[in-house]
Amino acid sequence: MSDKVKEAIKTSYLSIAGNGVLAVVKFLAGFFGNSYALIADAIESTADVFSSILVLLGLRYAARPADDNHPYGHGRVEPLVTFGVVGFLIVSATVIAYESIENIRTPHEIPEPYTLIILAIIIIIKETFYRIVSKKSDETKSTSLKADAWHHRSDAITSLTAFIGITVALIMGDGYESADDWAALLASGFILFNAYLILRPALGEIMDEHMYDDLIEDIRKSAESVNGVLDTEKCFVRKTGMTFHVDLHINVDAQISVKEGHDIAHEVKDTLVAELPEIADVLIHVEPSH
């Protein structure tokens, strides 16, 4: 198991533990503090626990080496896991929206003031989690970990809207008891929007969409630095989990032997893997220069 995979798995454990503790805190504070916005927040955190477990299982499966049935490895499970995470987001947003509408229709007490303190702490914690997990997802190139990071950000947004709603209810008094319910309803919209932001790159990964211009530029520069490479032509990149597979066409002198062209291609591959460690494998096609 590579260091990147170990780091991603360690980060997912952090998400599971954090979401579990916060879900309990939010539910208790919401129940005793008369705030459905906090209970809605707890629902999302509970969904986050299951989605983080799904991410963990996906990372472990994606780390399996290539075999006869999966010559490119098992990394494509990552975007599939991301689809599952998005599903959790959509379900939690739907539940929050439904319960918010029901609570708006039902008279209830104004939330307790101490719920604001709890929410402020939660917002800080979840935004910190988002930054930690997002940084790790960038370092490891993990799509599912990026989705997990956005779970934390959406949780922070939900808590922020709850904070605003409860503040309005406390300041305005009678007649504004449902302000935090409206806040929860608004938060469900944010969650759905975040679900789309998470889904889009994962779908592009499954479809081998052209999304890696910066990496392709680095590949061309590294390949053209190898002695004997006159130019590069086609360069296709596909992402599998946290690594990339590259198809590259290089131009060499038309007068050299097949053996010399073969040696140049091997040197290009070795150079790319050494200089760009995120690349798992390179398939090189040698073209004679015209």
Side-chain angles (χ1 to χ4, degrees):
M1 189 178 293
S2 69
D3 291 338
K4 286 201 302 184
V5 174
K6 290 178 181 177
E7 195 66 30
I9 289 175
K10 186 166 65 175
T11 304
S12 66
Y13 276 122
L14 173 66
S15 291
I16 293 170
N19 286 327
V21 172
L22 287 176
V24 174
V25 171
K26 290 175 183 179
F27 179 80
L28 293 176
F31 182 78
F32 291 106
N34 303 316
S35 171
Y36 180 70
L38 259 174
I39 295 176
D41 226 354
I43 292 172
E44 190 191 358
S45 287
T46 302
D48 287 351
V49 172
F50 290 105
S51 67
S52 293
I53 291 173
L54 186 62
V55 169
L56 174 63
L57 295 175
L59 288 170
R60 287 191 172 279
Y61 186 83
R64 292 183 179 184
D67 54 36
D68 291 341
N69 290 329
H70 306 88
Y72 290 100
H74 298 75
R76 281 295 172 86
V77 75
E78 268 227 85
L80 295 179
V81 166
T82 302
F83 295 157
V85 173
V86 168
F88 276 112
L89 276 174
I90 293 173
V91 170
S92 61
T94 303
V95 170
I96 290 170
Y98 175 80
E99 292 295 335
S100 296
I101 294 171
E102 289 295 309
N103 278 275
I104 289 170
R105 294 173 175 174
T106 306
H108 56 80
E109 298 178 25
I110 292 176
E112 296 292 337
Y114 68 78
T115 56
L116 290 177
I117 299 174
I118 295 172
L119 278 168
I121 295 172
I122 288 171
I123 291 168
I124 294 171
I125 292 174
K126 293 302 285 186
E127 181 63 20
T128 301
F129 271 36
Y130 165 75
R131 293 177 184 274
I132 292 172
V133 179
S134 182
K135 181 181 178 182
K136 293 299 181 183
S137 71
D138 290 337
E139 292 173 355
T140 59
K141 310 296 182 186
S142 171
T143 306
S144 58
L145 209 56
K146 176 65 76 175
D148 209 27
W150 271 103
H151 259 294
H152 292 299
R153 170 57 66 82
S154 66
D155 214 357
I157 291 172
T158 307
S159 298
L160 179 61
T161 57
F163 185 94
I164 295 171
I166 292 173
T167 301
V168 170
L170 290 172
I171 292 175
M172 302 303 291
D174 293 343
Y176 288 84
E177 294 88 352
S178 63
D180 74 320
D181 301 313
W182 283 102
L185 184 61
L186 178 63
S188 68
F190 277 115
I191 295 169
L192 288 174
F193 179 68
N194 283 332
Y196 167 75
L197 294 179
I198 295 167
L199 178 66
R200 184 66 188 85
L203 185 61
E205 186 175 328
I206 284 287
M207 297 298 293
D208 286 330
E209 188 176 335
H210 179 82
M211 301 188 297
Y212 313 108
D213 287 328
D214 291 342
L215 178 58
I216 289 174
E217 184 64 26
D218 291 338
I219 290 169
R220 291 190 187 281
K221 287 180 180 178
S222 294
E224 290 168 8
S225 70
V226 174
N227 187 35
V229 176
L230 303 179
D231 196 9
T232 56
E233 293 185 356
K234 296 176 183 177
C235 183
F236 302 129
V237 174
R238 66 178 66 183
K239 188 171 183 286
T240 55
M242 301 180 207
T243 59
F244 298 88
H245 289 256
V246 178
D247 295 335
L248 177 65
H249 288 215
I250 61 172
N251 285 338
V252 301
D253 188 343
Q255 302 304 315
I256 64 175
S257 67
V258 172
K259 174 68 166 58
E260 289 173 308
H262 175 80
D263 291 342
I264 292 172
H266 263 288
E267 188 176 349
V268 170
K269 178 178 179 178
D270 293 342
T271 300
L272 290 176
V273 172
E275 294 184 359
L276 303 168
E278 63 267 36
I279 294 177
D281 196 19
V282 185
L283 179 61
I284 297 176
H285 179 78
V286 179
E287 295 273 7
S289 179
H290 302 296

